[in-house]
Amino acid sequence: MAEETLLRPELGALAPYNAGLTIEEIAGRPGVTRIAKLGSNENLHGASPRVAEALEAAARATHLYPDPQGRQLAAELGAMLGVPPGWVVLGDGSEDLLNVLARAVLRPGDRVVTLYPSFPLHEDYARMMGAEVVRIGLTPEGQVDTGALEAAMAEPVRMVMIANPMNPAGSWLDPEGLGRVLAAQRPDTLLVVDEAYVEYAAHGDFRSAAEMLATHDRPLMVLRTFSKAWGLAALRIGFGATNDAELRRGLDLVRTPFNTSHMAQVAALAALSDPAHMEASVAATVAERARLARGLEALGLRVLPSLGNFLFAETGQPSSEVAARLLDRGVIVKPWKQPGYERWLRISVGLEADTDQVLAALKAVL
């Protein structure tokens, strides 16, 4: 008799998410005097000073449950996106909403189309529900293969999950490409556009899918986060907006009732009250992204164009080995491990000193 297991069989194909190394994990290495943490796409400029002030005041209400709908924050986000507040849903980071979406929509055997290489949770949550994942790879030039994406969408598909800009490649759909994808969407397909890095993309040839929420005639959901440009990664808060009333109702049925804390909601409102701080940090990051790209190319690495706060670089050797050697020099980057990309590093864009440190370290170890 076969051994019984408590776990669902779909979990056998999954691996724990690689959240990256912490500063504490390498701080004690001999010779490490400064750490450049460039593995998690954090905003190293930090959040607006208003956030700390708001959190100090909010600490007096820690004995109370948060607003389960986050109505004040949803109203602000709806105004920012140009949609009714009732279209907005909050999450414990945008990856929480990826999980909620999968549980609300996907059934065993459903097809999910996503871009590749991908943010692993775009695939993992779909597989967790027994769905089949169809990967759409990059063109040889490292761009989104819009034609292949359109062809995949012509077949019955339950959900199309795309990141724009893509993580880890940094590639993006230009306005024409986004329009083609929206036009290719079948009426029975949910299109999810993960725009975690949208603030950095605003400086390029880019259009947000949120602009089409009010006019698009098929189910559309746009995901955003406060973890990147707004500098609230530690507080775990993201949000989404959808034009589909049935989907919006279903998300409330699946998500946990208090899936964002009072502190996170307060911090997000404070961050939104200071857009100038966010915009200044984004502008500095975009400038530093260009300098980092030039430095990596000068070292002989292939670097894909990026509209995120990170770069994807081909090292010519196993990237896990390169990343391990960089740790001895106080540099944390993310070696990519999905098949076909084991020689690529994702390097977050940090401060000027971080760029100097990672370029010097790579020159020494390559």
Side-chain angles (χ1 to χ4, degrees):
M1 181 176 177
E3 184 178 352
E4 293 292 332
T5 175
L6 290 174
L7 301 181
R8 297 173 59 233
E10 291 86 356
L11 300 188
L14 304 182
Y17 176 68
N18 176 15
L21 294 170
T22 65
I23 290 175
E24 291 75 17
E25 287 177 277
I26 66 165
R29 293 196 174 213
V32 173
T33 57
R34 182 186 189 278
I35 296 172
K37 188 173 186 288
L38 304 176
S40 299
N41 296 348
E42 294 150 324
N43 176 4
L44 299 187
H45 295 275
S48 164
R50 296 183 188 179
V51 170
E53 296 169 6
L55 288 174
E56 184 177 0
R60 293 189 289 270
T62 55
H63 59 293
L64 300 175
Y65 282 107
D67 178 353
Q69 299 291 342
R71 279 164 286 200
Q72 185 180 358
L73 180 55
E76 292 288 335
L77 294 172
M80 183 178 77
L81 297 176
V83 301
W87 290 18
V88 176
V89 60
L90 304 182
D92 181 22
S94 57
E95 70 267 23
D96 172 44
L97 294 176
L98 293 173
N99 189 337
V100 171
L101 274 168
R103 289 187 286 122
V105 173
L106 297 179
R107 305 160 301 192
D110 280 338
R111 292 175 74 243
V112 174
V113 172
T114 192
L115 301 178
Y116 186 80
S118 66
F119 179 47
L121 296 182
H122 286 177
E123 299 189 9
D124 287 352
Y125 289 141
R127 291 197 174 97
M128 176 185 72
M129 301 309 299
E132 171 195 353
V133 174
V134 178
R135 292 170 166 176
I136 305 299
L138 298 171
T139 67
E141 297 76 26
Q143 299 173 348
V144 178
D145 192 337
T146 309
L149 184 55
E150 288 176 297
M153 294 174 68
E155 303 295 329
V157 177
R158 184 72 168 174
M159 181 189 295
V160 175
M161 171 73 70
I162 59 175
N164 195 33
M166 287 178 66
N167 173 22
S171 309
W172 65 97
L173 285 166
D174 62 17
E176 180 201 6
L178 178 62
R180 288 168 57 185
V181 170
L182 288 164
Q185 182 186 355
R186 295 164 58 101
D188 56 352
T189 296
L190 170 61
L191 175 59
V192 182
V193 185
D194 185 344
E195 295 184 345
Y197 301 94
V198 66
E199 292 86 2
Y200 301 101
H203 292 253
D205 179 22
F206 182 87
R207 186 179 185 189
S208 167
E211 297 176 27
M212 276 66 82
L213 275 168
T215 57
H216 192 56
D217 61 354
R218 279 146 283 178
L220 174 64
M221 181 150 197
V222 179
L223 300 177
R224 300 275 184 92
T225 186
F226 282 96
S227 296
K228 308 303 180 186
W230 296 98
L232 301 184
L235 288 163
R236 311 310 309 123
I237 185 159
F239 61 99
T242 180
N243 62 355
D244 190 273
E246 181 186 25
L247 175 63
R248 180 63 187 85
R249 182 179 68 86
L251 298 178
D252 275 344
L253 294 174
V254 172
R255 70 179 180 89
T256 57
F258 303 103
N259 65 331
T260 58
S261 71
H262 176 62
M263 305 296 275
Q265 292 179 30
V266 165
L269 285 165
L272 287 173
S273 76
D274 191 7
H277 178 88
M278 182 274 290
E279 291 162 3
S281 72
V282 166
T285 298
V286 169
E288 201 61 27
R289 182 178 69 197
R291 188 169 81 93
L292 177 60
R294 291 193 298 269
L296 294 172
E297 289 169 347
L299 292 175
L301 304 186
R302 180 190 178 195
V303 182
L304 296 188
S306 172
L307 287 188
N309 66 338
F310 54 88
L311 293 170
F312 204 41
E314 187 175 19
T315 64
Q317 52 188 286
S319 58
S320 292
E321 298 176 10
V322 176
R325 296 198 293 270
L326 290 174
L327 293 177
D328 290 329
R329 297 175 180 273
V331 174
I332 303 172
V333 296
K334 191 155 189 174
W336 216 252
K337 298 181 180 180
Q338 290 179 316
Y341 290 91
E342 298 93 336
R343 293 173 177 262
W344 291 76
L345 291 173
R346 192 193 68 190
I347 305 171
S348 305
V349 180
L351 309 179
E352 290 184 13
D354 299 311
T355 298
D356 294 340
Q357 186 172 348
V358 70
L359 290 176
L362 280 167
K363 184 177 181 180
V365 306
L366 287 176

